[in-house]
Each structure stands twice: as C-alpha cells, then as structure tokens.
Amino acid sequence: MLKYIIPFFLVTLFLPACKHGKPQPEIINHDKMISLLTDLHIVDGGMYNVVSFNTDSTYKYGTGRYLALFKRYHVDSTTFRRSLKYYTGKPVELEAMYDEILKNLTAKTDSANKSMLKMNNGRRPNTE
C-alpha cells in the first residue's frame, strides 16, 4: 500500500508545475500588449511635453489619461501590471515586442510629420 501512496503524492505535488507553457488567462495577449504599450508610450510622450515633472501634476493630469487608455483596451491597471510583470520575466519576447513597438512609434511619427508638412503646404515651419 505504501508503494502506491508515495507515487500518488509525488504526482499530485509535481503535476501543477507542468503548466508553465501557456500564459495565464488574466495576461494580456501579445498583440494587444504591443498596441497598448505603443499607445502608453504616446501618452507618456504627451505628458512629457505638457506637464512639468512635478509628482502632483503628473498624478493630476496623467491618471485620467492612463485610465482612459486602459478603458479603451478593456483592461484594468491590475491586469496591465500583472501582464507587464509576466512579459518582463520573458526578456527575449519583451525585446521582440519592443522592436514592434518601436516600428509602430516610428510609423506614427513619420505619418504625423507628413501631415504637418501637408498642412504647411510643403514649407518648413519658421523656427527662428
């Protein structure tokens, strides 16, 4: 009887450890996380240009923007933090995600620059 009990407890102990391959359901999927982080960095950039880095001002003006961003992606801040922690534990995957984020930000910047040139009818703005 003892020879059956020991393997039963060993299997019971080690079986839950075999679930490391799939992401947890509360983790934001790869593509959605790339889009969310791209938009998050755009919000960060906007905060950098608008608000001085006084912690009160950042909290006052930034909180609403971040919450609106999370609402647009149907994510709460806890899920975002949990997902970010999950992806930081996988540095190779996170690096690939940030390569994609950088491409997205570059494309958006180029598009904005082209729009500004069209608005100025091809003239460069006077920066003197």
Side-chain angles (χ1 to χ4, degrees):
M1 180 79 149
L2 185 62
K3 69 179 182 178
Y4 295 114
I5 293 176
I6 292 174
F8 172 76
F9 283 112
L10 286 176
V11 168
T12 306
L13 179 67
F14 292 113
L15 192 62
C18 296
K19 295 167 124 183
H20 67 283
K22 293 183 179 180
Q24 302 159 351
E26 63 271 357
I27 300 299
I28 301 169
N29 73 32
H30 183 86
D31 295 331
K32 187 175 183 179
M33 190 69 171
I34 289 172
S35 297
L36 176 60
L37 284 171
T38 300
D39 289 344
L40 183 82
H41 288 299
I42 291 171
V43 168
D44 284 343
M47 291 295 297
Y48 180 77
N49 289 330
V50 172
V51 177
S52 65
F53 277 98
N54 178 347
T55 54
D56 292 337
S57 297
T58 304
Y59 180 77
K60 180 180 176 183
Y61 296 109
T63 303
R65 292 178 183 189
Y66 294 123
L67 291 176
L69 180 66
F70 292 150
K71 186 177 180 179
R72 187 171 66 191
Y73 281 92
H74 307 289
V75 171
D76 61 0
S77 60
T78 305
T79 303
F80 174 73
R81 277 191 227 116
R82 188 177 304 124
S83 299
L84 192 58
K85 185 177 179 180
Y86 171 80
Y87 286 115
T88 54
K90 299 179 176 294
V92 174
E93 185 174 354
L94 187 63
E95 184 179 4
M97 289 171 68
Y98 265 95
D99 288 341
E100 199 63 34
I101 291 166
L102 183 60
K103 287 178 192 175
N104 293 345
L105 290 172
T106 302
K108 289 181 185 235
T109 302
D110 291 345
S111 175
N113 288 339
K114 286 179 186 177
S115 295
M116 290 295 284
L117 283 173
K118 282 183 181 180
M119 284 176 50
N120 291 325
N121 293 325
R123 296 175 295 193
R124 294 240 176 223
N126 192 359
T127 58
E128 295 176 13

